[in-house]
Amino acid sequence: MTRQKQRIDELRRSNTLPGEELLALLAEATPESDEYLFAQARTVREAVYGKAVYMRGLIEFTNYCKNDCFYCGIRRSAKSTQRYRLTEEQILDCCDTGHALGFRTFVLQGGEDGFYTDERIVSIVSGIKERYPDCAVTLSIGERERESYEAFYKAGADRYLLRHETADEEHYRQLHPSELSLTHRKQCLADLKDIGFQVGCGFMVGSPGQKPEHLVKDLQFISELQPHMVGIGPFVPHHDTPFAKETQGGLELTLRLLAIIRLMHPHVLLPATTALGTIDPRGREKGILAGANVVMPNLSPRDVRKKYMLYDNKICTGDEAAECVRCLEKRIASTGYELVCDRGDYR
Ligand code: 5AD
Ligand code: FES
């Protein structure tokens, strides 16, 4: 414990550790050292964001995807997935519902769907910004050309989420077909940041083939990129993918990584993800208590919820947005933190 405590103190003091020390921090964790780690992460997040937990309304507007990532339930080869697209009007309806519930950030997430040309995305983004100038719009629609990202930014999009998935080349190839590359993914993130977006990267915890060394690379990549947001959650198998029989990511490891990311990046916006809530009934609460400060309830229309299944057993697919907000409000209050209605910009 003393060595672990020293590492945690050093990480909090300098926001960094040598690779081998990060590896040891992960490998030698005990329930006792985790408790200390989480307490430090809470202190650091409270110094920057107080007790506030920000909410983002997630609008899953298309589950068509041209990609075939081995882990993902909406990959193009997942034949059992019923595909849908929301119209611009349906998306705006989601925003209306969300705005009335207090949401001031809308996250448009979808598969890489050619139907949504740059022009269509621009029209959706400017439509939302026109109706709700007080709200932030986040895009999470995968890899596109720099010119497209520039057009989205000009249309008023504020933020962009693009998880890097793994910072190790070889591991990246274990998770993706050969037409996808880590180099291009990283290029997209660099472009997005350069254009002026608040950017989010991130990865799955416990994805097939992941080794502790890969997690260290993920942490190092995050330190290089210096994103505004980091999305991490456990890998959860989906029955209609090549990884159907793989084991899911661990709760403790995910919490430990959330806390480490908080110590390395005191200002980062860090969601307690739906995947975390899926592997443990109090997963999101535990995430908040390990340093997370964002939740992303679903604003998608109820009839499409069950079709946006990136992994099996996803929670909240049968609930109205209003129910999720009420439920989350209580859950977060139970941790001593507070769900707030605010754009929740990076500080
Ligand atoms: N388990 C957990 N997370 C997943 N994602 C995709 N498939 C899975 C899965 N099976 C994550 C990816 C992606 C984000 C939108 O969802 O990290 O970037
Ligand atoms: Fe959706 Fe609890 S957050 S039902």
Side-chain angles (χ1 to χ4, degrees), residues 53-291:
V53 174
Y54 302 115
M55 58 174 186
R56 320 292 196 201
L58 187 63
I59 304 171
E60 300 156 334
F61 70 97
T62 172
N63 70 351
Y64 281 85
C65 191
K66 69 169 157 57
N67 292 334
D68 220 12
C69 308
F70 303 144
Y71 45 84
C72 184
I74 66 167
R75 67 198 299 263
R76 66 164 187 264
S77 305
K79 295 290 179 253
S80 67
T81 294
Q82 276 187 53
R83 306 289 167 165
Y84 73 89
R85 291 184 177 111
L86 299 186
T87 63
E88 189 166 339
E89 195 185 319
Q90 284 176 305
I91 295 172
L92 283 166
D93 285 345
C94 294
C95 295
D96 291 344
T97 307
H99 198 265
L101 288 168
F103 287 91
R104 295 297 177 267
T105 293
F106 301 116
V107 182
L108 297 175
Q109 185 175 90
E112 292 196 14
D113 179 358
F115 174 83
Y116 295 92
T117 56
D118 292 353
E119 292 66 35
R120 285 196 166 109
I121 296 291
V122 162
S123 158
I124 294 166
V125 170
S126 36
I128 299 174
K129 291 298 275 196
E130 212 167 284
R131 196 178 293 192
Y132 295 115
D134 57 333
C135 291
V137 171
T138 305
L139 292 174
S140 179
I141 56 174
E143 299 180 28
R144 296 217 181 185
E145 297 304 318
R146 184 180 172 114
E147 294 67 45
S148 311
Y149 290 151
E150 277 166 353
F152 304 157
Y153 190 73
K154 252 178 60 197
D158 303 272
R159 309 181 186 139
Y160 204 103
L161 304 177
L162 183 70
R163 290 190 180 180
H164 64 281
E165 311 297 358
T166 172
D168 181 85
E169 293 278 359
E170 199 185 318
H171 188 220
Y172 198 91
R173 288 192 293 272
Q174 282 177 262
L175 301 180
H176 302 96
S178 57
E179 64 264 23
L180 293 173
S181 82
L182 179 58
T183 311
H184 191 256
R185 196 107 181 145
K186 285 184 172 173
Q187 186 57 54
C188 288
L189 282 164
D191 286 341
L192 288 162
K193 194 155 184 236
D194 189 53
I195 290 166
F197 284 100
Q198 295 182 33
V199 301
C201 65
F203 56 92
M204 287 175 290
V205 179
S207 57
Q210 184 178 68
K211 300 193 169 47
E213 289 76 9
H214 299 150
L215 293 170
V216 170
K217 283 195 174 179
D218 287 320
L219 295 172
Q220 290 169 335
F221 172 69
I222 296 168
S223 291
E224 273 165 45
L225 180 67
Q226 291 290 326
H228 305 81
M229 307 166 284
V230 176
I232 71 163
F235 161 75
V236 183
H238 183 283
H239 62 276
D240 198 9
T241 64
F243 290 162
K245 296 271 152 19
E246 301 288 337
T247 34
Q248 68 179 29
L251 172 73
E252 298 303 329
L253 183 57
T254 307
L255 297 175
R256 207 170 288 144
L257 284 158
L258 283 171
I260 291 173
I261 292 167
R262 172 60 65 202
L263 294 184
M264 296 177 84
H265 308 280
H267 296 259
V268 83
L269 291 156
L270 192 61
T273 55
T274 303
L276 189 55
T278 296
I279 63 159
D280 184 288
R282 282 183 47 89
R284 288 168 299 176
E285 292 89 317
K286 290 173 184 172
I288 298 295
L289 290 168

Side-chain angles (χ1 to χ4, degrees), residues 284 297 315-316 319-320 323-325 327-328 331:
R284 288 168 299 176
I315 53 168
C316 301
D319 305 279
E320 289 295 349
E323 294 172 52
C324 285
V325 171
C327 168
L328 272 172
R331 286 171 181 271

